[in-house]
Amino acid sequence: SRVLSSSNFLLLCTLSGGGVVAYSESQTGAERPSIDGSGPSKKKVVVLGTGWAATSFLKDLDASLYDVQVVSPRNYFAFTPLLPSVTCGTVEARSIVEPVRNIIKKRKGEINFWEAECVKIDSSNKKVFCRSNIDNLVGSGEFSLDYDFLVVAVGAQVNTFNTPGVKENCHFLKDVEDAQKIRLSVIDCFEKAVLPSITDEERRSILHFVVVGGGPTGVEFAAELHDYVLEDLIKLYPTAKDKVKITLIQSGDHILNMFDERISSFAEQKFTRDGIEVETGCRVVGVNDKVITMKAKSTGDICSVPHGLVVWSTGISTLPVIRDFMKEIGQAERHVLATNEWLRVKGCEEVYAIGDCSSITQRKIMDDITAIFEAADKNKSGTLTIEEFQEVMDDIILRYPQVEHYLKQKHLRDFSTLWKDLQGNESKEIDVEAFKLALSHADSQVKSLPATAQVAAQQGAYLARCFNHRDHAEEHPEGPRRFSGSGHHKFVPFRYKHFGQFAPLGGEQAAAELPGDWVSMGHSTQWLWYSVYASKQVSWRTRVLVMSDWTRRFIFGRDSSGV
Ligand code: FAD
């Protein structure tokens, strides 16, 4: 990202209700006069992003308490779980986006929105530098904003693992534009493949669709594409029948490996029945416009196969603006911006980070827990009796209720298995070292909450609640119960509640992992998916649009014009 000269930003104009307030770089938020010239000035909150985390924060924030400014290169919120449906026209792009101005106009108080990208965060001067990318701008489109509190919710970018040719030759599925491009390219492949000048071999290559990444997004896209081909395109392009092939490449041993094993194997069996080829244990090592090259992890064999379209969906990495910021605040060695459990960026007093760009670090808690264990091991034998162990765990759970919550988390399976093993330990002696190891493993897994909309939205809502109660907490430092805590923290730390996750598998079937270790698969789960996703829409407008798209698809099928 470009580093901007601060001299460009000496004067910043904030437009508000027709009035213009100018203030110099040296003025901090606290000194700035109030925008309407009356009463004490409000603290300035700058929010970066309009995705899941930022929108959830804005929806729950009492904006009358702050001077709120939002910066994002996208002037809309996109309901990302339905992006795979947009790639095949099951749902229209317009139906899953909500203009951010619609969202903020419904808020109490004033919120300003600037369509621009933040290119630099200067936390020592409490300032962000932004640049607008709108076409044909008058002026440079560059400006800076001062803040008292900064909420960083910029998400992440696609991770290509620096694989040669991926950026140039693959499609990504991260944003609405990506989904629209895929939709056009799929139709183009079919139109190309039926041209009279094409040989059968070329036809097969053009109609070979490759999906890289066996996570929920890759699996859902492969399933959507399969349905689209089978239910709509084959009828329109009969000569393409028998030439279409969909391959899903996964570097791990199973697809959907973050789900319960029953779901992984259900999905693999369904894909085999549907004729979707699943290549597990393979790493893609290069892509060009004609072939994709992969290496088998077990044998090291390399093979290249021709393709018509590749969709790359292998996870996320940090955005350049966040990487630069991390270097500045001493987090250069990390992959994601580290926050404490109150979502405050480590090393920056007034900067909060939520959603995919951040990760909670809880080392202190785990250190404390380890110390509790060590204290319980009075004779330093390295073992505890089962009674001592139970006592220690009761103490830990009393102090850190989240530990009990960790045990119910699927992604901390090792930890809970070990706990259960230890409790059923015949020798009635607990190996403290083994337990500490499991705890530290759980700790590192806890640090990386899954990068999902669910986490991002809960963090946004939590942070908004903290902001709404900030004044009250300042006035009553002793605090009511919910603010109790030690040190300077007045709020209970953020706790993630997992409400389950879905994996649509095509053919009106889906799999779901639900709270309480419930696993549900099949047609009825697909109906559950429809109802949950309809209810989770950000507005009634998008809810009605999405439901009418589903109905249209049931009656008329998907549109194949690609426009
Ligand atoms: P985002 O929602 O990505 O928002 C980031 C925002 O920051 C955007 O508005 C962007 O324009 C803005 N921004 C970017 N750079 C800058 C900058 N420099 N300055 C200012 N603003 C900037 N999760 C689930 O829980 N369930 C699902 O079913 C699911 N399905 C998914 C399907 C797909 C295809 C994808 C791509 C993701 C899916 N996810 C799902 C994951 C989920 O979308 C992300 O975890 C979630 O979007 C993260 O929210 P966020 O607010 O951190 O980032």
Side-chain angles (χ1 to χ4, degrees), residues 239-306:
T239 51
K241 201 175 177 204
D242 309 327
K243 314 266 179 332
V244 184
K245 184 174 164 191
I246 301 171
T247 304
L248 178 65
I249 301 174
Q250 158 76 332
S251 63
D253 294 336
H254 294 282
I255 60 171
L256 295 181
N257 53 13
M258 64 294 293
F259 280 77
D260 189 284
E261 286 152 37
R262 286 167 288 175
I263 292 181
S264 293
S265 63
F266 180 78
E268 282 169 0
Q269 284 163 19
K270 179 167 190 314
F271 276 14
T272 310
R273 281 198 306 276
D274 290 347
I276 299 174
E277 203 166 302
V278 179
E279 297 275 359
T280 52
C282 274
R283 243 174 65 84
V284 173
V285 290
V287 189
N288 68 24
D289 59 340
K290 299 225 162 37
V291 298
I292 177 161
T293 306
M294 49 196 153
K295 187 175 180 179
K297 275 166 68 180
S298 55
T299 59
D301 290 348
I302 289 189
C303 74
S304 294
V305 282

Side-chain angles (χ1 to χ4, degrees), residues 48-54 71-74 76-78 80-84 116-119 153-156 173-175 216-217 220 319 321 354-357 450-456 502 533:
L48 304 179
T50 48
W52 277 96
V71 179
S72 174
R74 261 176 17 192
Y76 57 84
F77 162 82
T80 47
L82 287 181
L83 280 179
E117 182 185 4
C118 168
V119 289
V154 294
L173 185 44
K174 189 81 184 74
D175 210 339
T217 303
E220 189 177 346
L319 281 164
V321 64
I354 48 179
D356 284 2
C357 65
T452 62
Q454 222 180 126
V455 173
F502 283 99
Y533 280 46

